[in-house]
Amino acid sequence: MSDCIFCKIARGEIPSRKAYEDDLVYAFHDIHPLRPTHILVIPRKHIASLAEVSAADEAILGRMLAVSHKLAAENGSAEGFRAIINTGRIGGQEVPHLHLHIVGGPEPVGPMVSKI
Ligand code: 5GP
Ligand code: ZN
């Protein structure tokens, strides 16, 4: 997708603070970190959301999860982290390119979902 902000970040057309990259995924620090560690892992391929994946994307999805602990550990959250994929309107997804949030830091992250 030529006009997708995260596709542009993965291609290097919009600057980002890179945390990791390989043939399938690109990871960068969230511009508005919610915790001391807040990294986004995205597929290089444009996939709009977790609701849009196909069986052909299983290697990509696996890679996104497989790199998560190493990224957390390298960025101040070696004792654990939370992996979040917001999906669609109900899930509160704002950017329509699949992304895995890795959230952590020296202190526990807190409740899984904020209490209303
Ligand atoms: P969502 O709410 O879609 O799950 O999360 C989108 C995330 O992308 C937000 O945490 C937001 O701060 C982050 N974000 C949006 N635009 C940019 C950007 O241009 N650069 C970076 N590094 N993060 C972004
Ligand atoms: Zn995209």
Side-chain angles (χ1 to χ4, degrees):
M1 284 259 291
S2 55
D3 60 346
C4 167
I5 184 169
F6 282 2
C7 281
K8 287 183 176 173
I9 284 176
R11 290 196 297 260
E13 295 168 14
I14 291 176
S16 65
R17 193 150 74 89
K18 182 172 84 173
Y20 174 78
E21 68 178 326
D22 63 29
D23 56 330
L24 295 180
V25 304
Y26 182 81
F28 56 106
H29 295 267
D30 197 291
I31 202 164
H32 297 304
L34 298 176
R35 291 292 184 281
T37 302
H38 190 167
I39 293 169
L40 302 174
V41 184
I42 65 174
R44 289 192 179 280
K45 172 188 173 185
H46 181 83
I47 301 171
S49 81
L50 207 51
E52 313 285 334
V53 299
S54 70
D57 298 322
E58 285 177 5
I60 293 171
L61 296 170
R63 186 71 59 82
M64 289 170 70
L65 290 173
V67 301
S68 59
H69 175 251
K70 179 177 155 61
L71 274 172
E74 287 175 353
N75 290 278
S77 204
E79 293 179 61
F81 62 96
R82 184 163 299 146
I84 304 166
I85 301 179
N86 297 324
T87 304
R89 182 179 69 86
I90 301 296
Q93 182 179 3
E94 291 177 0
V95 177
H97 180 126
L98 177 64
H99 49 283
L100 171 70
H101 293 257
I102 296 174
V103 183
E107 303 300 328
V109 173
M112 189 165 76
V113 178
S114 62
K115 297 186 174 114
I116 297 170

